[in-house]
Amino acid sequence: MSVNMIHDTDGLPKIILTEPMGSSTEVLLYGGQVVSWKNERREEMLFMSTKAIWKPPKAVRGGIPICFPQFGNFGSLERHGLARNRMWSLDSSPAPLVPATNNSTVDLILKSTEDDLKIWSQSFELRLRVSISSGKLTLIPRVRNTDNKSFSFMFALRNYLSISDISEVRIEGLETLDYLDNLMNRERYTEQADAITFDGEIDHVYLRTPSKIAIIDHEKKRTFVLRKDGMPDAAVWNPWDKKAKAMPDLGDEDYKSMLCVDSAAVESQIVLKPSEEWKGYQEISTVSSSYCSGQLDPRKVLYGFT
């Protein structure tokens, strides 16, 4: 296993994890953000904007930003909260979450500062463990209440997935669920489609989702399998063409090759008493699929049917 700390061309400290089969991931200390995950064939699994801004205080558009203590504009703080544009540190005393022997792992920590307390008056410690093994990227976030009073928060891992073409992708596992439509003032609806496909802008927060979701890319014949725990919701976002052109840090055509499917806790906020800790879990893996020719039943991916 290999863990290497470098400074990228913009001077931001970055940790590179590699594992024996050849896969790798890159994690910025700025934002505690995973910005790359390549498989053993050196194919990039995560999307990064062609116009990403790599200089603070702007969050980097792509990879896996961390949304804490707020998701989107579901509150009075800056969009997606403060964690994604703060400088994190290496965690010198990580909890005994023993990784498997074939994992390459790094532990990061973000502690609230006096300036943060002026924005969000809760004292906290936010930790993140990032691990890779062959074909799998795992993130374990933890939030500890270091305040003398209880507080509540939202949390999300915003997964920018790299896809062939947004019109060639479908999501299985969210059908029949209720969702909040952020394009319709967060009105609550029920998903009617057998699977989610895309022909325009989408910004939904699906509620009480299963622990496993499949994102099937027909053209690449690849399926992302998202497993999660402690984050009951799942946000799905693609800005489509008009909004992409209006975003200064997103290329005009970038929307075609990206899809966000997030592990999230939005509707029911997480509540912590003093000294209590919350732990989440997310694992993204990939499987080769011939789904476009009918050879992969997505129910096998989702539910293990034989």
Side-chain angles (χ1 to χ4, degrees):
M1 303 301 133
S2 173
V3 179
N4 187 24
M5 171 82 82
I6 66 169
H7 284 75
D8 65 16
T9 54
D10 292 295
L12 293 175
K14 179 168 61 177
I15 298 132
I16 300 176
L17 305 179
T18 59
E19 58 85 32
M21 297 302 293
S23 61
S24 65
T25 191
E26 299 179 6
V27 188
L28 294 181
L29 286 187
Y30 181 63
Q33 183 170 341
V34 175
V35 292
S36 174
W37 172 39
K38 293 178 180 177
N39 65 14
E40 58 274 13
R41 295 184 297 278
R42 309 301 297 159
E43 297 168 331
E44 181 59 68
M45 300 289 102
L46 300 178
F47 165 86
M48 181 57 64
S49 169
T50 57
K51 291 184 177 180
I53 298 171
W54 295 83
K55 294 181 180 179
K58 185 71 175 178
V60 180
R61 176 76 64 186
I64 308 179
I66 295 171
C67 306
F68 169 87
Q70 176 181 300
F71 178 77
N73 57 0
F74 281 69
S76 59
L77 301 179
E78 59 188 295
R79 186 174 182 83
H80 290 316
L82 53 83
R84 66 180 186 150
N85 51 21
R86 297 292 190 273
M87 191 64 73
W88 293 47
S89 304
L90 290 173
D91 191 352
S92 59
S93 55
L97 302 172
V98 180
T101 55
N102 62 340
N103 282 12
S104 182
T105 297
V106 66
D107 288 279
L108 305 180
I109 186 170
L110 177 70
K111 297 182 179 181
S112 52
T113 65
E114 290 298 321
D115 287 340
D116 292 334
L117 292 172
K118 295 174 184 176
I119 299 169
W120 192 59
S121 59
Q122 322 294 338
S123 179
F124 67 88
E125 291 179 353
L126 170 55
R127 287 179 164 85
L128 179 70
R129 170 166 290 189
V130 180
S131 301
I132 58 163
S133 56
S134 181
K136 186 184 301 182
L137 174 66
T138 302
L139 279 71
I140 301 175
R142 291 180 292 137
V143 177
R144 177 172 292 279
N145 183 347
T146 57
D147 214 315
N148 57 10
K149 59 185 181 297
S150 298
F151 63 70
S152 61
F153 62 93
M154 303 175 214
F155 192 91
L157 297 171
R158 168 132 282 198
N159 302 304
Y160 283 84
L161 303 177
S162 176
I163 56 174
S164 58
D165 190 293
I166 187 63
S167 62
E168 297 293 330
V169 173
R170 61 192 284 133
I171 301 175
E172 301 276 358
L174 303 178
E175 54 277 1
T176 75
L177 299 182
D178 285 357
Y179 64 88
L180 306 177
D181 191 339
N182 291 326
L183 302 179
M184 300 292 289
N185 297 314
R186 300 184 203 147
E187 289 289 328
R188 190 180 185 116
Y189 299 94
T190 300
E191 182 59 61
Q192 302 296 324
D194 293 336
I196 300 170
T197 57
F198 305 93
D199 59 6
E201 182 182 358
I202 185 172
D203 192 353
H204 293 174
V205 177
Y206 289 86
L207 309 173
R208 300 183 184 89
T209 62
S211 61
K212 193 186 296 185
I213 300 167
I215 301 96
I216 301 157
D217 191 331
H218 299 285
E219 189 170 314
K220 286 190 176 180
K221 299 182 180 179
R222 178 171 68 207
T223 295
F224 288 100
V225 182
L226 174 64
R227 295 178 175 87
K228 60 190 180 69
D229 186 56
M231 293 172 280
D233 305 324
V236 177
W237 179 68
N238 184 285
W240 219 252
D241 54 348
K242 289 183 180 179
K243 187 163 287 186
K245 290 177 181 177
M247 299 172 69
D249 61 346
L250 188 67
D252 290 354
E253 302 295 315
D254 281 357
Y255 76 95
K256 295 179 180 178
S257 58
M258 61 146 281
L259 175 62
C260 285
V261 183
D262 309 342
S263 301
V266 176
E267 185 188 40
S268 297
Q269 295 193 27
I270 299 158
V271 179
L272 290 181
K273 296 177 182 178
S275 300
E276 279 189 338
E277 183 178 84
W278 164 84
K279 183 175 77 171
Y281 178 87
Q282 173 180 283
E283 174 192 295
I284 308 176
S285 58
T286 59
V287 295
S288 297
S289 83
S290 308
Y291 183 70
C292 55
S293 61
Q295 295 177 24
L296 175 68
D297 183 346
R299 292 177 299 174
K300 285 187 177 181
V301 175
L302 287 168
Y303 308 115
F305 291 171
T306 56

